[in-house]
Amino acid sequence: MRDATPQTVYLKDYTPPDYLIDQVELVFELDEQRTLVRAGLDVRRNPDSRSASEALTLFGEELLLVGISLDGQALAAGDYTLSDETLTIHRVPGDRPFRIDIENIIDPQANTALEGLYLSSSMLCTQCEAQGFRKITWFLDRPDVMSRFTTKLIADKTQYPVLLSNGNKIGAGNLDGGRHWVAWQDPFAKPCYLFALVAGQLECVADEFTTVSGRRIALEIFVEAHNVDKCGHAMQSLKNAMRWDEETYGLEYDLDLYMIVAVDHFNMGAMENKGLNVFNTKFVLARPDTATDSDYEHIEGVIGHEYFHNWSGNRVTCRDWFQLSLKEGFTVFRDQQFSGDRSSPAVKRIEDVNMLRTRQFAEDAGPLAHPIRPEAYIEINNFYTLTVYEKGAEVVRMLHTLLGAAGFRQGCDMYFKRHDGQAVTCEDFVKAMEDANGVELTQFRRWYSQAGTPVLEVEQAFDAGRLTLTVKQSCPPTPNQPEKLPLHVPIKLGFLAADGSPARFQYRGEFCEEATVSLTEAEQRFVFESLTEKPIVSLLRGFSAPVTLKIDRDPEELAFLLSYDSDTFNRWEAGQQLVSRIIFGLIADIQAGRTLTANPVLIEAFRAILADAGADLSYRALLLSLPDEGYLGGQMAVVDVEAIHQAREFVRLSLATALSAEFQRVYAEHHQDESGCFDASAVGRRRLKNACLSYLTALEKPDSYALAETQFRSARNMTDQIAALSAVVNSRNPAKADCLDSFYRQWQREALVVDKWFTLQATCHMPETFATVQSLMQHPAFDMKTPNRVRSLVGAFSQSNPLHFHARNGDGYRFLADRVIELNTLNPQIAARMVGGFAQWRRYDTDRQALMTRELRRIVETEHLSKDVYEIASKSLA
């Protein structure tokens, strides 16, 4: 058993800090095993404090105290109390500012949790969000304590020639013994979670950006020498993001220098530390032969996300960690806007919604469900969730929909002007939207406090040119929230005439072809007039709210919407619903032992897509996609893993068989021998032709084997090569082993490409996959201390391969539990994220439930279990 039950932190218990720290002076004498930290803190009593205590309690973990003084006087052992997590000075001045000086030692090399200061390869770097700074020195480690930092770094000049920290460089020099120093100063007050430090043998890729006001900003990306040629896209993405934020939100960068460092060992995607962003290499490094089109898009999106945090997260930050979605949900929405503007808005929206419905809706439906502003936590790292980020972005998007683009911008302008330099709450954000637009959003605020995915049930009645839609909203019970109140749900809609053209209608006295209605009651009727015939209803256009929509439609109506709906999201959604309807029918046939038959409506609908000569090839590729097995499972009362896979594969094979000539034609039309092109047309060509290749592979014929193998061996870009290898791996192609070996030998020195190699094998649906995964654990390239490698194999298998992870014998469950227990002592954050594979155990049959809960109990009963893992595992069992 673990040593003790960790303490739960509640939003309702928030109190302002008793003390504030105005200035921080840090000196680091850097060494990979013994770094000396000297911290000088200028402290004063907080006038808003509600406590009468004379004590000052600072947070710190895994620190060796060397000495501590108050206003220059060394404190004796009896003047303070030291615990595993706190340093309490018994009496400090309450009527005047005072100075605390602390010296402590830390061991970066032993820090496998990758929080605080740690060693990544030969580089020293930091990760302080959410509470990593307390592993650097004792501090008031909470986001509502905002300080101005001055940092001096001292290190061996040969081992650590580059020394970086936040803000602007203010000095540098040489010291005796081959050492040197560099000093940095951040002129803006910030919480300590935004502190950053990097030291190592790094090369700099430099550029500059001229702001709208004419200021020249130095841009620098630091990487290891062998990665210098993979930074061009990241640099251009940064400049694109800076210009977009000026043009779209009127926000200009505020320092003279913006730095990015790419790090191999990183628990997150990236971190927005003020002026010095630390990135997982996955979201910086790209070259056409090593990175896919998807990688390129994700890099631009993440670069944008961290840059946008400069205002939505740094200049205005969150008061406490319960407000995390204040910065993350808002900034995800901003990066989604940016990525859509930079590429295809239709494709970007569909990809975001697809991920939300596949993964976040599952989170909403399980034991870990929580509102975007949680009420309680044990370990704050566990609330960096899809709900806080992705659903949080959907809540911001609904405000944009309700207020319009201009009104939303007015609200943002007021929010940044009103709260610049402050640590604030979600309520402050909504209040700025209200005040800027003269609206009332009291009911809308429920989105911040209610968990779960709302369900909208729609009935329609047409009579004499009048269409009445009756909409009922409900939300299933979630942990600690059995009853739900009606939400304010914006529903964007339009109607189609019998010939597929938009049908004009009258709503509230105005004629239009599209409208947004506000659902605010548990049941509400909306009346649309002046229609010349009963229309086909297109509801929830653009996915205007994160809800599940239920409306009776037959396959012919769905096929009609797939052919004619002018809303790009709803056209794709009609196709997904059509395929899902057919798959669930096949699942029923499988469970009843009936013979499976192909559906001609679906085949003709896909034939029309393949014949469509529309310009957006990426969108056409999405229209040809089948619903994810995880998404299909989320719609079943009891998930039938094998039947879902069998039915989906039957549909894929039926389409491939009936449309083989069309798939071959479209593949041939768009297949080109190309490298280095990352424009919309090239990306679209690759997406569409590789979608066709995937279908052709399902035929398991020599000519399709040859097509995939030829593309694999001749590809000059990673998108085509990895797509072809995926086609080979997920088939009985006799060249599989040779292709896998060839790919590894070609790319074994490129870590991010090797990650793809692991993931392809971990997510394969062929029978031998689990044995392959087990053997890959022993591969020389696999390392449990590298988060990207763990995610690429263990995470990919447990979260993206339901067929084999949920094998009836429970081998997948035992495998995951063993890895979680192993990771618990190495990297609790990554271990906790792996536990998520068990969270949906109640959705499966009783045998699988028993197997999963047995492994969860084994995890919970592990000695010295981290707070991170304990919280996820125990809540999953509750």
Side-chain angles (χ1 to χ4, degrees), residues 491-508:
I491 304 173
K492 187 178 291 187
L493 53 80
F495 304 138
L496 279 70
D499 62 357
S501 64
R504 286 181 59 79
F505 58 92
Q506 187 177 16
Y507 179 64
R508 291 186 172 178

Side-chain angles (χ1 to χ4, degrees), residues 251-268:
L251 300 174
E252 185 175 328
Y253 187 61
D254 49 11
L255 291 171
D256 300 328
L257 174 65
Y258 192 94
M259 298 177 287
I260 290 173
V261 181
V263 177
D264 283 331
H265 297 79
F266 205 66
N267 285 340
M268 301 183 180

Side-chain angles (χ1 to χ4, degrees), residues 169-216:
K169 187 176 179 179
I170 58 172
N174 294 316
L175 299 169
D176 293 339
R179 298 189 304 161
H180 70 138
W181 64 273
V182 178
W184 298 84
Q185 187 174 67
D186 187 347
F188 295 94
K190 65 173 182 282
C192 65
Y193 82 83
L194 291 172
F195 173 79
L197 175 164
V198 174
Q201 298 175 357
L202 300 168
E203 297 294 325
C204 177
V205 177
D207 205 330
E208 68 176 29
F209 177 83
T210 302
T211 69
V212 68
S213 67
R215 294 173 51 244
R216 294 173 67 178

Side-chain angles (χ1 to χ4, degrees), residues 467-615:
L467 177 70
T468 301
L469 296 180
T470 302
V471 186
K472 298 178 182 178
Q473 65 164 303
S474 62
C475 190
T478 53
N480 303 313
Q481 290 187 346
E483 303 292 334
K484 304 298 175 73
L485 296 170
L487 296 165
H488 183 173
V489 184
I491 304 173
K492 187 178 291 187
L493 53 80
F495 304 138
L496 279 70
D499 62 357
S501 64
R504 286 181 59 79
F505 58 92
Q506 187 177 16
Y507 179 64
R508 291 186 172 178
E510 293 187 9
F511 283 93
C512 50
E513 293 183 355
E514 186 175 78
T516 299
V517 302
S518 287
L519 175 67
T520 56
E521 306 295 333
E523 181 175 337
Q524 199 166 340
R525 288 179 175 81
F526 301 95
V527 179
F528 308 92
E529 300 178 305
S530 302
L531 289 156
T532 59
E533 60 183 344
K534 183 180 179 181
I536 302 296
V537 180
S538 173
L539 279 173
L540 209 66
R541 287 187 159 187
F543 199 66
S544 59
V547 301
T548 296
L549 181 65
K550 293 185 177 181
I551 180 171
D552 286 337
R553 298 191 193 273
D554 57 34
E556 289 72 23
E557 186 172 298
L558 290 169
F560 180 87
L561 289 166
L562 176 58
S563 297
Y564 296 110
D565 201 326
S566 59
D567 182 78
T568 51
F569 173 81
N570 271 10
R571 185 184 175 196
W572 170 83
E573 171 67 354
Q576 295 292 290
Q577 292 301 315
L578 176 59
V579 177
S580 297
R581 180 82 58 85
I582 291 166
I583 287 175
F584 285 124
L586 292 168
I587 289 172
D589 291 338
I590 292 167
Q591 293 171 338
R594 294 188 290 265
T595 301
L596 305 186
T597 58
N599 188 297
V601 173
L602 180 63
I603 290 171
E604 292 310 309
F606 271 54
R607 192 189 306 277
I609 295 169
L610 288 165
D612 185 1

Side-chain angles (χ1 to χ4, degrees), residues 18-22 42-47 93-94 96-98:
D18 294 334
Y19 296 90
L20 300 173
I21 303 175
D22 293 320
D42 291 341
V43 189
R44 62 183 169 91
R45 186 82 179 184
N46 182 3
R96 61 173 177 81
F98 56 93

Side-chain angles (χ1 to χ4, degrees), residues 7-15 130-131 142-144 317-329 370-380 383-385 387-388 424-427 448-449 871 875:
Q7 181 181 359
T8 300
V9 181
Y10 295 94
L11 171 60
K12 63 181 176 62
D13 294 335
Y14 170 83
T15 57
Q131 295 175 339
R142 46 187 291 170
D144 55 357
T317 193
C318 48
R319 184 196 71 179
D320 54 74
W321 291 119
F322 297 101
Q323 318 296 329
L324 182 59
S325 196
L326 173 75
K327 74 182 185 77
E328 295 300 350
H370 57 276
I372 66 168
R373 184 185 58 211
E375 299 293 328
Y377 65 81
I378 292 175
E379 171 52 63
I380 184 54
F383 272 123
Y384 285 74
T385 63
T387 297
V388 166
V424 299
T425 67
C426 297
E427 169 62 28
Y448 287 88
S449 58
E871 180 174 31
K875 285 183 176 179

